[in-house]
Amino acid sequence: MGLVGVHENGNGEMALALGNKNKYKRMDSELSDDFDDEALNLHLQQLERNKSIRKYVLACAIFASLNNVLLGYDVGVMSGAIIFIQEDLKITEVQEEVLVGILSIISLLGSLAGGRTSDIIGRKWTMAFAAVVFQIGAAIMTLAPSFQILMIGRILAGVGIGFGVMIAPVYIAEISPTVNRGSLTSFPEIFINLGILLGYVSNYAFSGLSVNTNWRVMLAVGILPSVFIGFALFIIPESPRWLVMRNRVEEARSVLLKTLENEKEVDDRLAEIVAAAGMSNGEKNEKKAVWRELLTPSPPIRRMLITGFGIQCFQQITGIDATVYYSPEIFKEAGIKNNSKLLAATVSVGVTKTAFILIATFLVDRVGRKPLLYVSTIGMTVCLLTLSLTLGLLGQGQLRIALSILCVCGNVAFFSVGMGPICWILTSEIFPLRLRAQASALGAVGNRVCSGLVAMSFLSLSHTITIAGTFFLFALLSALSVLFAYKCVPETKGKSLEQIEMLFGNLNEWQGSEVEMGDSEHLVQKA
């Protein structure tokens, strides 16, 4: 019995011990659950904050790109409005070329002034100034009683567009996180395409009004996007990099906290920007005046200028503005005679251009800049050559019309996938901070001059060597752009703006950056 009693007592003690252990386990479990809940809450809060930051950066990129709608709308609407302006104001073919092309030539003044202006008053207020100047010009064009007054309005609109086109990519590149900078910096090109589409739709929608009214309404609608820019000023911040240049480092940090997802990244990026601005430890680098440095560049800056200025020029000399401005003339040459059908065909061009720029936005930070540039330039070359052969060799008929529309749509599709957005992305990200605004302005000047020369000479050139011959010339220039992309354009995907600057440090890095980028990606994956 005693043994049994001891056994029972032993069992009782053992049961008590087990009970105590279970109690401790439950307490540990409860503490663990509390920690898990707290960690989960923190994680959910961080996810919510990241989501909010991404939305904010997206909103900034959209609002900054509104000025580019103005350029796109003008390009699209003028292709149809010029038909009715010619009929209403009885202008000559030379006046028609000047009216169409002068905007691109004059916009270079805005682009040139935009670099310096944005360094003085900031990126944000330069965008506001651009919108105001364009509004004044558009209002004058809408009410113009003569060709001379129409030209005054067009010149003012051109200056405003020059400011807007130059500053939007720079601003977006400077506020965007590295991981999706390419996608966001392509937004200005998206909005140009959206503007072109809206211009084409406006042509078609208002073409039924009287000749004295329809083109005025078409031009007046272009004022609306610039109104929204006024509201945007209450939402978008100033560029953190510009703030650092002005020694407003704390304000720059506040902006970075709104656009980057964690505080360590904010501090790292701010340190990079301060160093790049030449203000590390409160000291400014002794440096030449910006324009003197651009005119007498060091080897790295020279390579940047070749890449930035070269790609801007190639974007235009391959004839994209001729294709867009004069698509009714091209389709008329193909065999479409009715004005409504001509304008309807141009709408298909606008839809294609807009759809494919969205594809580029999705791919540019996944595939990279250079692969898309190869696809774009090679595709454009094939489409331009095929259009030339179609207009030059095929007789009148439905096949000629169908192939012409297909080639024009194919050309703008390939342009939108690569050359269109990547041109602006590269120009806004390859230059060092101290030169970025004015070097980008110089690239925009090259773009606008080439655009103006193409737009102002297309009709005369077509009369001299035919439209087929003109597009054969564009095809040759497009083939040269493939070689340019191979030799002079580095891959910048996945690098911060400050890291990209180092790519141009020597010739091997400039021409061999794809390999380095591939190596770095493998290292990241292994880590």
Side-chain angles (χ1 to χ4, degrees), residues 75-155:
V75 171
V77 81
M78 192 54 71
S79 69
I82 195 68
I83 298 171
F84 305 108
I85 292 172
Q86 193 175 30
E87 189 177 342
D88 184 29
L89 300 183
K90 305 294 186 293
I91 63 175
T92 66
E93 191 174 88
V94 172
Q95 287 177 320
E96 180 185 343
E97 281 186 318
V98 171
L99 184 64
V100 169
I102 195 66
L103 182 133
S104 294
I105 296 294
I106 291 299
S107 65
L108 72 88
L109 298 177
S111 294
L112 270 175
R116 182 62 180 153
T117 303
S118 69
D119 280 346
I120 295 172
I121 67 172
R123 311 326 193 199
K124 174 178 172 178
W125 294 107
T126 302
M127 288 187 280
F129 181 71
V132 170
V133 175
F134 179 86
Q135 282 179 323
I136 295 169
I140 291 172
M141 286 194 291
T142 300
L143 302 172
S146 65
F147 174 76
Q148 288 76 16
I149 302 298
L150 189 62
M151 282 293 293
I152 291 171
R154 193 118 174 102
I155 287 168

Side-chain angles (χ1 to χ4, degrees), residues 387-404:
L387 179 61
S388 172
L389 295 175
T390 298
L391 296 176
L393 301 178
L394 283 183
Q396 294 291 334
Q398 290 302 310
L399 179 61
R400 177 184 168 100
I401 292 173
L403 273 177
S404 296

Side-chain angles (χ1 to χ4, degrees), residues 231-250:
F231 296 106
L233 296 176
F234 295 100
I235 297 174
I236 64 175
E238 184 51 84
S239 159
R241 287 165 171 85
W242 182 81
L243 290 170
V244 168
M245 285 174 65
R246 292 291 164 185
N247 206 16
R248 292 156 62 179
V249 178
E250 282 306 311

Side-chain angles (χ1 to χ4, degrees), residues 443-455:
V445 166
N447 183 286
R448 295 294 85 205
V449 168
C450 292
S451 170
L453 291 175
V454 168

Side-chain angles (χ1 to χ4, degrees), residues 161-199:
I161 284 173
F163 272 98
V165 166
M166 171 264 147
I167 196 58
V170 171
Y171 174 81
I172 295 171
E174 290 186 346
I175 66 160
S176 299
T178 299
V179 68
N180 55 0
R181 187 183 62 246
S183 298
L184 293 173
T185 311
S186 68
F187 272 36
E189 185 66 21
I190 292 175
F191 279 75
I192 287 175
N193 285 278
L194 179 62
I196 290 171
L197 177 58
L198 292 174

Side-chain angles (χ1 to χ4, degrees), residues 63-71 126-128 130-131 164-165 167 226 229:
F63 284 126
S65 302
L66 286 176
N67 270 322
N68 292 69
V69 176
L70 307 178
L71 172 60
T126 302
M127 288 187 280
V165 166
I167 196 58
S226 60
I229 296 170

Side-chain angles (χ1 to χ4, degrees), residues 45-362:
Q45 286 174 14
Q46 184 63 39
L47 287 177
E48 192 62 34
R49 181 177 181 275
N50 292 351
K51 188 177 178 182
S52 175
I53 285 172
R54 284 193 288 269
K55 284 182 180 178
Y56 181 73
V57 174
L58 180 65
C60 291
I62 289 172
F63 284 126
S65 302
L66 286 176
N67 270 322
N68 292 69
V69 176
L70 307 178
L71 172 60
Y73 185 83
D74 184 272
V75 171
V77 81
M78 192 54 71
S79 69
I82 195 68
I83 298 171
F84 305 108
I85 292 172
Q86 193 175 30
E87 189 177 342
D88 184 29
L89 300 183
K90 305 294 186 293
I91 63 175
T92 66
E93 191 174 88
V94 172
Q95 287 177 320
E96 180 185 343
E97 281 186 318
V98 171
L99 184 64
V100 169
I102 195 66
L103 182 133
S104 294
I105 296 294
I106 291 299
S107 65
L108 72 88
L109 298 177
S111 294
L112 270 175
R116 182 62 180 153
T117 303
S118 69
D119 280 346
I120 295 172
I121 67 172
R123 311 326 193 199
K124 174 178 172 178
W125 294 107
T126 302
M127 288 187 280
F129 181 71
V132 170
V133 175
F134 179 86
Q135 282 179 323
I136 295 169
I140 291 172
M141 286 194 291
T142 300
L143 302 172
S146 65
F147 174 76
Q148 288 76 16
I149 302 298
L150 189 62
M151 282 293 293
I152 291 171
R154 193 118 174 102
I155 287 168
L156 283 173
V159 172
I161 284 173
F163 272 98
V165 166
M166 171 264 147
I167 196 58
V170 171
Y171 174 81
I172 295 171
E174 290 186 346
I175 66 160
S176 299
T178 299
V179 68
N180 55 0
R181 187 183 62 246
S183 298
L184 293 173
T185 311
S186 68
F187 272 36
E189 185 66 21
I190 292 175
F191 279 75
I192 287 175
N193 285 278
L194 179 62
I196 290 171
L197 177 58
L198 292 174
Y200 285 154
V201 171
S202 177
N203 288 339
Y204 187 70
F206 300 119
S207 60
L209 300 176
S210 66
V211 172
N212 183 52
T213 305
N214 54 14
W215 64 269
R216 297 179 190 278
V217 175
M218 293 172 188
L219 296 178
V221 171
I223 298 174
L224 294 177
S226 60
V227 174
F228 292 107
I229 296 170
F231 296 106
L233 296 176
F234 295 100
I235 297 174
I236 64 175
E238 184 51 84
S239 159
R241 287 165 171 85
W242 182 81
L243 290 170
V244 168
M245 285 174 65
R246 292 291 164 185
N247 206 16
R248 292 156 62 179
V249 178
E250 282 306 311
E251 290 179 58
R253 190 175 191 279
S254 298
V255 175
L256 288 172
L257 283 168
K258 295 178 183 178
T259 59
L260 297 176
E261 294 181 2
N262 66 73
E263 200 161 333
K264 184 181 183 304
E265 187 180 359
V266 168
D267 293 333
D268 291 345
R269 187 58 44 80
L270 185 61
E272 285 182 359
I273 295 169
V274 169
M279 293 172 57
S280 184
N281 298 321
E283 295 179 359
K284 289 191 177 183
N285 288 335
E286 293 181 8
K287 58 181 181 290
K288 297 182 282 186
V290 170
W291 281 111
R292 197 183 308 161
E293 190 168 359
L294 290 174
L295 294 174
T296 56
S298 62
I301 300 300
R302 187 181 302 115
R303 295 182 193 113
M304 294 174 189
L305 288 171
I306 290 170
T307 299
F309 193 78
I311 198 167
Q312 290 278 8
C313 292
F314 271 113
Q315 190 201 54
Q316 292 299 329
I317 62 175
T318 49
I320 189 62
D321 274 6
T323 306
V324 175
Y325 272 127
Y326 295 108
S327 52
E329 296 290 334
I330 297 165
F331 295 143
K332 191 181 291 184
E333 175 72 12
I336 303 174
K337 302 302 179 186
N338 181 275
N339 277 350
S340 283
K341 289 181 178 177
L342 281 174
L343 295 177
T346 61
V347 172
S348 67
V349 177
V351 169
T352 304
K353 206 168 186 299
T354 304
F356 277 84
I357 188 66
L358 295 175
I359 294 173
T361 302
F362 178 77

